[in-house]
């Protein structure tokens, strides 16, 4: 089988990137893997061969509006010399890359798979965002033309089945890959309790500092937490447009001694491992990778009901009062949900290593190509 993938992930052009490594691994599952990446000509990316059977083609578009037409042209050139029945076209979203995939599959007369990493049918996806409102309509059209649909969670699968009754394809659930064994075996480089010995309990948040992450909610609740637990700490890892606003809120709430902004870090495995509790207050998550990573390192997760939170067994809260009560019980030791969360997590994510996951991906592609 030969796979033709349409992508927006430009990190593949970075020599030592995880994305490049992942694409090479995908190539090991098939005879050939051809990846077309949306990219402007000003970035000066060139066609590159990643391995014996993996090629990457930048669209080299002068304007973003040319991504679709340029990708179609490259796709037709790549596909013309290959036996049609041997090709599977796959796209990394049902939007702009999805339009390319649908048209390309139609022109080459081959099978078409759409990958869906976010619940675009959720009202939060399009709220206050004209571009996303357009993408909802686009996504519905693309999914109606797909031969196979891969989603990363049961929540997204159920959303499609509920909202798009005309879709005849049953979505296949394959979560985003997390190298659990690697995370388990990664040595601790930063121990939060040694770095911040003033805290006897550390709640960790790893997040972009944006409004939809609702981190102010955590700060407001933490103001009450420290009244009873003055040595409780909140460590926030991440950057974003809300950082100055959040730092001002910390000062206003007199939480300077209890809240730490760590900034952005590439590898946060040690942070997960040495925290006592992972907290997520997001209004919306397409998936929730940090929740999965936290549980993979055996740290209990307390979260709003977003993304895969319920599916992985996270402890869910809805009101500020409930959040306050639950954090307090974790700190006092009255509450310990880790065993339950790990049991549920293992059912959601059964892939213990990279080989298991790649095997599941191979089977999915083969089944799609054979239908």
């Amino acid at each position: 089988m030969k796979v033709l993938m349409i992508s927006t992930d430009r990190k593949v052009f970075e020599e030592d990137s995880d994305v490049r490594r992942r694409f090479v691994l995908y190539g090991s599952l098939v005879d050939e893997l051809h990846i077309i990446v949306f990219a402007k000509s000003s970035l000066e990316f060139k066609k590159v061969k990643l391995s014996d059977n993996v090629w990457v083609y930048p669209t080299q578009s002068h304007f973003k509006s040319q991504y679709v037409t340029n990708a179609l042209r490259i796709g037709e050139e790549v596909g013309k010399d290959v036996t049609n029945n041997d090709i599977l076209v796959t796209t990394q979203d049902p939007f702009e890359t999805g339009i390319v995939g649908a048209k390309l599959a139609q022109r080459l007369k081959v099978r078409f798979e759409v990958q869906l990493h976010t619940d675009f049918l959720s009202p939060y996806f399009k709220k206050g965002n004209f571009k996303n409102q357009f993408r909802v309509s686009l996504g519905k059209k693309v999914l109606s033309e797909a031969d196979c649909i891969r989603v990363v969670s049961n929540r997204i699968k159920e959303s499609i089945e509920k909202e798009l009754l005309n879709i005849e394809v049953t979505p296949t659930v394959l979560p985003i890959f997390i190298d659990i064994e690697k995370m388990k075996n990664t040595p601790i480089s930063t121990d939060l309790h040694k770095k911040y010995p003033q805290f006897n309990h550390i709640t960790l948040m790893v997040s972009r500092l944006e409004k939809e992450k609702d981190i102010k909610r955590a700060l407001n609740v933490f103001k009450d937490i420290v009244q009873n637990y003055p040595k409780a700490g909140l460590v926030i890892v991440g950057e974003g447009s809300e950082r100055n606003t959040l730092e001002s809120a910390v000062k206003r709430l007199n939480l300077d001694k209890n809240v730490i902004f760590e900034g952005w870090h590439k590898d946060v495995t040690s942070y997960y491992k040495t925290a006592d509790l992972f907290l997520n207050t997001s209004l919306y998550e397409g998936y929730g990778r940090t929740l999965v990573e936290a549980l993979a390192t055996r740290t209990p997760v307390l979260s709003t009901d977003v993304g895969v939170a319920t599916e992985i067994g996270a402890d869910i809260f809805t009101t500020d009062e409930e959040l306050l009560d639950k954090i307090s019980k974790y700190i006092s030791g009255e509450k310990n949900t880790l065993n339950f969360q790990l049991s549920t997590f293992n059912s959601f994510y059964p892939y213990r290593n990279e080989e298991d996951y790649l095997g599941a991906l191979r089977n999915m592609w083969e089944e799609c190509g054979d239908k």
Side-chain angles (χ1 to χ4, degrees):
M1 178 192 293
K2 300 172 180 64
V3 172
L4 182 52
M5 180 182 293
I6 318 300
S7 174
T8 61
D9 206 332
R10 302 178 190 95
K11 285 188 176 293
V12 68
F13 294 103
E14 298 177 11
E15 289 192 10
D16 298 323
S17 69
D18 290 337
V19 174
R20 176 174 286 204
R21 176 181 173 277
R22 185 172 70 249
F23 283 159
V24 170
L25 285 173
Y26 291 169
S28 69
L29 306 178
V30 295
D31 297 317
E32 294 179 12
L33 175 60
H34 299 269
I35 307 159
I36 301 171
V37 181
F38 287 179
K40 295 183 71 173
S41 56
S42 58
L43 296 174
E44 299 184 347
F45 294 142
K46 305 296 182 184
K47 174 184 173 182
V48 59
K49 187 174 183 179
L50 303 187
S51 65
D52 289 341
N53 70 329
V54 179
W55 295 264
V56 183
Y57 313 80
T59 58
Q60 297 180 321
S61 307
H62 294 297
F63 306 100
K64 290 182 179 180
S65 59
Q66 297 175 322
Y67 284 163
V68 170
T69 54
N70 292 157
L72 275 171
R73 173 182 53 78
I74 295 171
E76 289 183 311
E77 290 175 358
V78 171
K80 67 182 180 181
D81 296 326
V82 184
T83 303
N84 287 346
N85 291 336
D86 287 341
I87 302 177
L88 172 67
V89 174
T90 182
T91 65
Q92 293 193 318
D93 64 58
F95 311 125
E96 289 84 354
T97 69
I99 284 292
V100 174
K103 290 184 177 181
L104 195 56
Q106 185 179 38
R107 293 178 186 181
L108 296 176
K109 298 180 180 179
V110 298
R111 304 288 292 177
F112 172 41
E113 178 201 56
V114 176
Q115 301 177 43
L116 200 51
H117 295 77
T118 189
D119 185 4
F120 78 99
L121 296 172
S122 163
Y124 282 106
F125 180 81
K126 61 182 179 181
K127 189 176 182 180
N129 188 320
F130 178 76
K131 185 176 181 180
N132 280 359
Q133 290 174 18
F134 169 73
R135 282 180 164 177
V136 171
S137 298
L138 196 59
K140 290 179 179 180
K141 174 177 172 54
V142 169
L143 288 183
S144 69
E145 299 180 22
D147 297 296
C148 308
I149 301 172
R150 176 262 175 115
V151 298
V152 296
S153 70
N154 284 305
R155 181 191 291 268
I156 299 176
K157 177 183 178 182
E158 292 166 2
S159 179
I160 291 173
E161 294 175 336
K162 178 182 178 181
E163 300 295 331
L164 304 180
L165 300 178
N166 63 323
I167 299 295
E168 298 180 0
V169 177
T170 300
T172 299
V173 179
L174 182 66
I176 294 172
F177 175 65
I178 303 291
D179 196 335
I180 294 176
E181 290 303 317
K182 180 181 179 181
M183 294 188 75
K184 283 182 178 179
N185 296 325
T186 298
I188 295 174
S189 57
T190 302
D191 187 323
L192 288 176
H193 279 280
K194 289 182 179 179
K195 188 172 184 179
Y196 303 112
Q198 68 270 34
F199 301 141
N200 57 19
H201 187 279
I202 295 177
T203 299
L204 173 68
M205 301 183 78
V206 178
S207 170
R208 290 182 296 109
L209 308 185
E210 303 295 342
K211 285 186 177 180
E212 68 269 20
K213 301 303 180 180
D214 205 14
I215 294 174
K216 275 189 178 180
R217 184 178 192 181
L219 298 180
N220 289 330
V221 169
F222 231 76
K223 183 181 186 302
D224 294 325
I225 290 289
V226 299
Q227 300 301 315
N228 295 318
Y229 303 99
K231 291 187 177 182
L234 175 63
V235 176
I236 303 171
V237 178
E239 287 289 356
S241 62
E242 287 285 291
R243 176 155 183 171
N244 289 338
T245 301
L246 293 171
E247 288 180 333
S248 296
V250 166
K251 292 179 181 178
R252 186 179 69 254
L253 296 169
N254 295 317
L255 289 172
D256 306 69
K257 295 181 179 180
N258 297 87
V259 177
I260 305 292
F261 287 92
E262 274 275 336
W264 182 83
H265 290 269
K266 183 178 181 180
D267 184 7
V268 292
T269 302
S270 294
Y271 288 76
Y272 291 129
K273 285 186 171 183
T274 56
D276 299 295
L277 176 67
F278 184 83
L279 174 62
N280 174 60
T281 54
S282 294
L283 297 172
Y284 170 76
E285 289 284 351
Y287 181 70
R289 185 186 182 98
T290 57
L291 309 181
V292 178
E293 290 177 339
L295 264 181
T297 55
R298 302 180 66 84
T299 299
V301 173
L302 179 58
S303 176
T304 46
D305 186 8
V306 293
V308 294
T310 301
E311 295 174 54
I312 63 175
D315 192 1
I316 305 297
F317 69 90
T318 55
T319 65
D320 288 0
E321 292 75 18
E322 190 176 11
L323 176 58
L324 174 61
D325 179 66
K326 289 191 172 186
I327 293 179
S328 298
K329 286 181 177 177
Y330 277 108
I331 293 174
S332 68
E334 292 179 58
K335 192 175 185 64
N336 186 343
T337 64
L338 183 58
N339 289 337
F340 168 78
Q341 291 190 29
L342 290 176
S343 175
T344 308
F345 172 74
N346 289 336
S347 298
F348 167 80
Y349 197 89
Y351 314 106
R352 308 324 299 164
N353 52 51
E354 201 166 60
E355 184 178 353
D356 287 349
Y357 185 87
L358 290 173
L361 179 60
R362 179 195 291 111
N363 291 339
M364 188 178 67
W365 277 351
E366 288 177 350
E367 288 178 9
C368 185
D370 289 340
K371 289 181 179 178

